[in-house]
């Protein structure tokens, strides 16, 4: 139900990176279609906000507030590392409310359920968030015109 919106938000946020990878919005949409899995990679988790009333809320009434993906190969210069957590995005009006941390914890829990021993990510802007959530830096490099940090988390430890 949220496929088009996920692709559009992702494209808007990271268009420069997609274009450096020679990808279009159509590629982005295809990627999210492939991430509709629930029991294997690749997959995307979404955070939804719903009404607070006591009545049962229909899915169609939910508002998308954020997303994160577990996927293969997110950094072509480090093809030796896999799988990756990527595409963490919280809509601006929902930031600083714990949504990003909640999505990260849920993604790590899902990876553990899939018996993935470790995950990797790269970021140019959220290193402090990931350090706070238990990730460690394994290298710093330039990637797609950005100063990036590559991080990992060991999922065999609780």
């Amino acid at each position: 139900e949220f496929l088009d919106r996920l692709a559009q938000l992702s494209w808007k946020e990271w268009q420069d990176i997609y274009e450096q990878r020679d990808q279009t919005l159509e590629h982005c949409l295809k990627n999210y279609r492939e991430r509709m899995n629930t029991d294997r990679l690749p997959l995307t988790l979404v955070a939804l906000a719903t009404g607070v009333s006591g009545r049962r809320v229909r899915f169609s009434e939910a508002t998308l507030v954020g997303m994160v993906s577990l996927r293969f190969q997110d950094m072509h210069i480090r093809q030796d590392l896999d799988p990756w957590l990527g595409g963490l995005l919280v809509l601006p009006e929902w930031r600083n409310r714990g949504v990003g941390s909640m999505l990260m914890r849920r993604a790590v829990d899902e990876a553990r359920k899939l018996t993935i021993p470790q995950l990797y990510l790269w970021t140019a802007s959220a290193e402090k968030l990931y350090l706070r959530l238990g990730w460690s830096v394994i290298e710093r490099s330039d990637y797609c015109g950005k100063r990036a940090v590559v991080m990992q988390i060991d999922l065999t430890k609780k």
Side-chain angles (χ1 to χ4, degrees), residues 72-116:
F72 302 108
Q73 288 307 319
D74 192 34
M75 193 177 215
H76 75 276
I77 62 172
R78 288 307 309 262
Q79 293 194 15
D80 57 314
L81 305 178
D82 222 23
W84 293 77
L85 181 143
L88 174 65
L89 176 65
V90 176
L91 295 175
E93 61 272 23
W94 289 92
R95 292 179 183 160
N96 300 312
R97 298 186 191 192
V99 175
S101 295
M102 184 247 340
L103 279 165
M104 289 295 296
R105 283 191 289 275
R106 179 65 190 275
V108 166
D109 288 347
E110 289 299 314
R112 278 193 179 105
K113 287 178 191 173
L114 296 172
T115 64
I116 295 169

Side-chain angles (χ1 to χ4, degrees), residues 3-126:
L3 269 176
D4 288 336
R5 182 90 168 111
L6 293 173
Q8 290 166 359
L9 288 169
S10 186
W11 179 260
K12 181 179 176 186
E13 187 74 16
W14 299 295
Q15 182 176 351
D16 60 328
I17 295 168
Y18 284 114
E19 288 175 343
Q20 288 182 53
R21 293 175 172 175
D22 292 324
Q23 295 179 328
T24 65
L25 177 57
E26 284 304 313
H27 288 102
C28 191
L29 185 57
K30 178 183 173 282
N31 290 340
Y32 281 101
R33 274 193 205 106
E34 292 171 354
R35 295 179 196 155
M36 291 178 57
N37 300 310
T38 59
D39 60 346
R40 67 186 184 283
L41 297 186
L43 61 84
T44 294
L45 302 169
V46 295
L48 303 173
T50 59
V52 191
S53 68
R55 68 181 176 81
R56 187 171 178 88
V57 177
R58 291 191 312 268
F59 188 68
S60 62
E61 296 173 346
T63 301
L64 177 68
V65 299
M67 62 188 177
V68 67
S69 295
L70 296 174
R71 59 193 186 202
F72 302 108
Q73 288 307 319
D74 192 34
M75 193 177 215
H76 75 276
I77 62 172
R78 288 307 309 262
Q79 293 194 15
D80 57 314
L81 305 178
D82 222 23
W84 293 77
L85 181 143
L88 174 65
L89 176 65
V90 176
L91 295 175
E93 61 272 23
W94 289 92
R95 292 179 183 160
N96 300 312
R97 298 186 191 192
V99 175
S101 295
M102 184 247 340
L103 279 165
M104 289 295 296
R105 283 191 289 275
R106 179 65 190 275
V108 166
D109 288 347
E110 289 299 314
R112 278 193 179 105
K113 287 178 191 173
L114 296 172
T115 64
I116 295 169
Q118 59 194 8
L119 278 174
Y120 300 92
L121 66 78
W122 74 271
T123 182
S125 62

